[in-house]
Every structure is written in structure tokens, then in C-alpha cells.
Amino acid sequence: MTATEITEASGYWFPDDDATQRGVAVLNALRRYRAAETAMRRRTRDSMGMGETDLLAVRFLLQAQRSGRAVSPKDLAAYLKISSASTTILIDRLVKSNHVRREPHPTDRRALLITPTIETDDEVRATLGVMHRRMMSIAEGLDAEQARTVAFFLEHMREAVDQVDQTATH
């Protein structure tokens, strides 16, 4: 596909100069990546029998566990931006499916901590481990300048998206 075909296929009505063609090609590649990642997340949720919020919760709990942080239901609710009632329902569902456990807080008898089960950690590693290794191999294959360029680009794209979200809500 030529640069002109890429520009025309993109749905953009920008000038047909080199910088714009490069920009459109990069944004189209980013969209294809995002679509592939979305499809991968859907396959992961399906294979684990979970919804989007369930998977986000499990991922958060696994990351917290790896870094030695304890997570309360309130912490989970704050992270997911859901109500305490929704958090209780979510935790009930994840306990029932053996993805998490409720455990007593070590110093506060009234409080609970939510921890992922060993089986959940194993399941996530089995489901995503190979893909993560492939992704890391690609990232490690970048030289220092390429890595800086990619990180710079992605950070600035994140900022652009965050700014749109902030202006849309104000």
C-alpha cells in the first residue's frame, strides 16, 4: 500500500505531504496494535471466564501481591472506580470462582484483605506468559535511541488522550 493509499484509507483529510503520510501511517499502526490488544484481552477474559472488571481486579491484585502491598476492598473499589456494593459483588464472584480469597487483616480484626489465589497467578502466567515474553523480546531488541523514541511517542500520545478526556468532562 502506498502512502497516499494509507492516507486515503485512514479516513483523514489531511494534506498529502511526507510528514502527514508518516503520521497517518504511525497512527494506523497504533490503531492496529490497539485492536489486536483488545482482541487479546477479550480472548483472555473468555478463556478465564471473566468480565473486563474481573480481569482488571485480578491484574491489580497480582501486581500488588508481587510488590508486597496488601489490598483491602476499599483499595480495590478506589482502583476500579466502583461503589462498595459493586466491589462486594465483584469480590463474591471472584471468591466463588476461586480467583481470590478474603483474608483477615493482620492488625485490624474488623478489616479484610483481598488476595489472588495461587491458581489464579498460575492461570494468568499460563494464559499470558508466552505473549509477554514475545513482547519483551521485541522491546529488548530496540536499541537505546529506538526505545527512547517509542517511549517518548507513547507518553505524548497518552498525554494527548488524557487531555481529550479532561476537556470532555469539563
Side-chain angles (χ1 to χ4, degrees):
M1 183 177 272
T2 68
T4 302
E5 291 170 325
I6 290 171
T7 302
E8 290 172 0
S10 72
Y12 291 118
W13 295 278
F14 293 125
D16 192 20
D17 60 35
D18 287 345
T20 300
Q21 289 176 10
R22 285 191 309 273
V24 168
V26 167
L27 292 178
N28 283 335
L30 184 59
R31 281 188 191 92
R32 288 189 301 272
Y33 169 78
R34 288 182 60 223
E37 183 179 40
T38 298
M40 176 274 302
R41 290 188 187 284
R42 185 177 48 253
R43 289 188 306 270
T44 301
R45 287 191 316 267
D46 291 350
S47 75
M48 293 181 72
M50 294 182 167
E52 178 72 21
T53 305
D54 299 34
L55 191 57
L56 288 171
V58 165
R59 193 170 132 217
F60 175 72
L61 292 167
L62 287 168
Q63 288 170 341
Q65 185 179 57
R66 287 184 191 116
S67 65
R69 288 181 291 121
V71 177
S72 70
K74 185 177 177 180
D75 298 330
L76 188 57
Y79 174 75
L80 296 171
K81 296 180 175 74
I82 61 176
S83 69
S84 60
S86 294
T87 303
T88 299
I89 292 167
L90 168 70
I91 293 169
D92 288 346
R93 186 170 55 245
L94 292 174
V95 166
K96 184 177 180 180
S97 66
N98 197 37
H99 285 102
V100 304
R101 288 186 313 270
R102 287 182 175 97
E103 296 183 347
H105 191 283
T107 59
D108 182 350
R109 291 179 25 182
R110 298 167 295 161
L112 290 174
L113 298 177
I114 308 305
T115 60
T117 63
I118 293 170
E119 295 81 11
T120 296
D121 190 30
D122 292 345
E123 184 178 10
V124 168
R125 287 177 189 271
T127 304
L128 300 176
V130 172
M131 182 207 49
H132 282 162
R133 283 190 294 280
R134 285 193 311 258
M135 291 172 69
M136 184 55 80
S137 176
I138 292 166
E140 290 172 343
L142 299 172
D143 65 36
E145 183 60 29
Q146 290 170 325
R148 278 191 297 275
T149 299
V150 171
F152 175 88
F153 170 76
L154 292 174
E155 273 304 308
H156 284 83
M157 290 300 286
R158 182 197 54 77
E159 289 171 5
V161 170
D162 283 348
Q163 288 173 4
V164 169
D165 289 346
Q166 290 170 3
T167 43
T169 60
H170 287 72

